[in-house]
Amino acid sequence: MKILLLVTTFNSLTQAVYTRLKDRGDEVAVAYAISESQMLEEIEAFEPELILCPFLKAYLPPSIYENYPTYIFHPGPKGDRGPNALEYALKSHTKEWGVVILRANEAYDGGDIYAEQHFFVRDTYKASLYRQEIVKASLLALETFFDNVKDGRCEPQILNPIHEKFTQQMRAIDWENDDTQTIIEKIYLSDSHPGVLDEILGLPCYLYGVWNEEKFRGGLKEVLAKRDGAICLGTKDGAMWISHLKEPGRFKLPATYVLKERLQGVKEERLPLIFDRSYETFHEVWMEKRDEVAYLHFNFHNGAMSAAQCVRLKYAVEYLQNECEVLVLMGGEDFFSNGIHLNILEDSQKQGEDGWANINAMNDLVRAILFASEVVTIASFHRNAGAGGVFLGLACDYVVGREGVVLNPHYKTLGLTGSEYHTYSLPKRVGKEKAQQLLDECLPVSTAYAKRIGMVDEVFESQEYEEKLHTYALSKIDDDFLWEKQDFLEENAERIEACKEAEIEVMYPEFWEEDSSFHQLRREFVYKVCPRETPDRLKHLSSSDLIRGSTLLGEDSRSESGMTEKKEKYA
């Protein structure tokens, strides 16, 4: 089918739907909802058979839904209508919620429902619920949607009153009366957007990233400690950590970056390199060991990795390779990794210097993984990954993905050519031609498609993913493999390093030159500047897109020295 995605932005849900449709073999284009004339122009140019709106904030004009079958994804069950659906779900402490796909008409969320999928609500923050449960439920609903549209099966929406917009007044913290759990819940239902507006040390700011603290105690709103960019605040019955703040009109940053000199005298309360999670507190890096397999978690906010975080993770990798037979990189709870930390670079007074330090720290981390000769390494793409985060995973010996996960193996949309040894690791898996295509097209791919072209070795279903991953990891314990790996690395170290050196030679002016497009594109990304038009890469289809659903694509795209046989793993 020819399907147009009409969206506010190309977010995680939109990309999940986009890749699922591509894998079905559909012809897919995207149009941003900017103006009625622009939308109609792009719709008429593509001539879709139907329009899907996975993430749409704007009202649709009748000129669209009256002339094209248009369907809206709503993050609420049958009968739920209006904005901020997930806020209301979390505020009500409901145990079950849902997603519906309904036909667009003149009534706000009032059209007939063509698919519905329910899910259990985790005790988590709004963005995590959206990125995981909402995305998964939407993809499941999509499976029944097409059959129901074809057969004309639908149910009328229950026209309940439209709930009001969730205001800052409704989100506000009452520090005198709210206990720690209540404050955590208020920040949860506002994270990652719009945050809870408050005041810390006299500075108005929005609060994000809340963690309970079990040990520290102090005065109400007193800053008790800081750690890895986060601050610990006293509450009426305990304490909690806030990892990120945003000043009005600015962008989100680690809390200590926002408060700066206001934190003078506050002690940095460090944790061990690899925290054992023996008590509740803010932490980013921890390890779980089972049998001879170590699972290294690095839960960095939104998957962004600063130079300091890369250094800490590098030390963790170097330490753990002597503590296990198999080291599995797990990434974070919502993202595996998204590469260098753009917000910190935008905040820097020395953007070239700090950007250069960040990419070199990422490269040092990737090198530690590539040259971990004493241990088998596995990347677990159980959450989305982008840019350098994808290539961080591809540095491992094996790569496993979860179904429904989206990968963005490219950099160019931010004006970067990228590093992280990608000119070595990506062609090694998919061949030079396919590697260049992925980098040039700047389109998301599913883990299922990534497996077809050799970028990922295995993809497991969500159900019992962790058990399947563990079984897979145990199967890779192999002394002969390690001997081969050591020999290969010894013979090819110079060639691998040459790839990285060539990469950073190209990247140098991208960071240091004032007229580099990276600076403008980064600024627009960080400040979430509304797009002025739909990016061309999303409007038009390459010839490969038209056969993407076919297994023919990628069968012969891997280089002869690729990943097809164990003995050629490092060829």
Side-chain angles (χ1 to χ4, degrees), residues 123 160 176 204 274 290 375 379 464 490 542:
D123 180 19
N160 290 329
E176 297 286 343
I274 300 172
R290 182 178 171 193
V375 67
E464 298 183 346
E490 186 175 337
S542 68

Side-chain angles (χ1 to χ4, degrees), residues 96-150:
E96 186 175 331
W97 201 242
V99 167
V100 295
I101 304 178
L102 49 84
R103 181 77 181 253
N105 62 13
E106 70 282 356
Y108 192 163
D109 294 333
D112 290 340
I113 294 172
Y114 282 78
E116 182 174 16
Q117 184 68 43
H118 288 241
F119 59 86
F120 291 108
V121 179
R122 275 184 304 130
D123 180 19
T124 189
Y125 58 99
K126 180 182 67 172
S128 184
L129 196 68
Y130 185 88
R131 293 165 182 154
Q132 295 186 40
E133 279 79 0
I134 290 293
V135 168
K136 182 179 178 181
S138 297
L139 295 180
L140 289 172
L142 200 61
E143 293 179 5
T144 60
F145 166 78
F146 290 103
D147 288 337
N148 290 341
V149 168
K150 180 181 177 181

Side-chain angles (χ1 to χ4, degrees), residues 345-357:
L345 299 189
E346 182 63 26
D347 182 62
S348 173
Q349 298 299 310
K350 299 178 180 179
Q351 293 176 343
E353 182 177 330
D354 287 343
W356 190 243

